[in-house]
Amino acid sequence: MGRRRRIVFWRHGRTDWNAAGRFQGQTDIPLNDDGVRQAAHAARLLAAMGPTAIVASDLDRAQATAEALATETGLAVATDPGLRETNAGSWQGKTFDEIRLTDREELARWEDGDVSVPAGGAETRLDVARRTRKAVESALGEVGEKGTLVVVSHGGAIRVALAELLGLPHGLWGALSGLSNCNWSVLEERSPADDGAVRWRLGEHNAGSLLVPVPIVEG
């Protein structure tokens, strides 16, 4: 049997808060000049994958990144708030060093992949995984049997969406790294399980060729 569906999870380009190491969460921070260049460069590479649909978080940094691919492909960009980054409550806007001053233990557990820790008193990784999976599965209806869906989202949201769709046990979610700005990961559809459930395999992870290398920082 030939290729089935693919999902390309693409993290947004760099922002000033990324550069400063601030936890953005759902704060609506735009791309900076580096991020705009990253998005344009990566979009040319992703266009070669032949995407058939694009869906993005409704936050500005994700939408602007998605529009770079829309320019290359002529596809429209759908938006879904279910693809937003983690709502990090009181952590939003703070650097990780600032968060450690007041919430060292909680942050350490969260960074280690503990799915039950509410970031800044708000969303847990499980909360984010449930809503991102729902958004992705809804958008898959637009790609057909062999199409490629590009999901433009955020580092933390993508990480848990991958873990959820791959069916990783919760205790292993911390083994999956996040994505650098404007890098992507690819899930490839496998043959259905005996019960007909959709199954995925990880084809690429944190792939990309960037003009401005940056470290992996969630949020």
Side-chain angles (χ1 to χ4, degrees):
M1 181 176 288
R3 179 174 67 81
R4 296 174 178 270
R5 295 176 296 180
R6 295 186 298 184
I7 309 173
V8 180
F9 286 91
W10 186 24
R11 187 185 179 191
H12 63 79
R14 199 180 197 194
T15 71
D16 285 343
W17 279 23
N18 286 145
R22 295 191 180 279
F23 200 134
Q24 293 177 119
Q26 295 189 2
T27 312
D28 205 5
I29 305 301
L31 299 180
N32 63 17
D33 290 344
D34 286 339
V36 171
R37 287 192 291 269
Q38 287 175 337
H41 177 68
R44 291 191 288 271
L45 302 177
L46 292 178
M49 294 187 184
T52 49
I54 307 170
V55 63
S57 157
D58 63 344
L59 296 180
D60 184 79
R61 57 193 184 272
Q63 287 194 61
T65 301
E67 288 296 340
L69 183 58
T71 298
E72 293 290 330
T73 62
L75 295 170
V77 176
T79 58
D80 193 322
L83 297 173
R84 287 185 177 189
E85 182 57 289
T86 306
N87 181 347
S90 63
W91 293 356
Q92 293 183 172
K94 297 179 180 179
T95 67
F96 284 82
D97 285 342
E98 288 170 341
I99 297 168
R100 287 187 185 93
L101 292 175
T102 56
D103 297 301
R104 177 177 296 274
E105 182 179 342
E106 289 83 356
L107 180 62
R109 289 171 56 206
W110 184 86
E111 289 184 313
D112 196 43
D114 188 328
V115 301
S116 67
V117 176
E123 283 191 304
T124 68
R125 292 189 185 276
L126 283 178
D127 294 330
V128 182
R130 291 187 189 103
R131 61 172 169 79
T132 53
R133 179 171 190 159
K134 181 179 179 181
V136 170
E137 290 180 341
S138 175
L140 276 171
E142 303 298 320
V143 304
E145 294 182 355
K146 298 182 180 181
T148 296
L149 172 67
V150 178
V151 176
V152 189
S153 187
H154 309 264
I158 290 174
R159 183 181 181 189
V160 297
L162 290 170
E164 174 76 4
L165 289 166
L166 289 169
L168 296 182
H170 294 163
L172 294 181
W173 283 20
L176 191 64
S177 76
L179 275 66
S180 297
N181 285 119
C182 248
N183 276 16
W184 59 85
S185 294
V186 180
L187 293 186
E188 302 164 348
E189 190 175 13
R190 303 164 59 192
S191 298
D194 291 341
D195 61 1
V198 176
R199 300 189 300 165
W200 301 94
R201 67 164 55 91
L202 187 62
E204 297 181 54
H205 186 55
N206 197 28
S209 175
L210 296 184
L211 298 173
V212 183
V214 293
I216 298 172
V217 179
E218 286 191 43

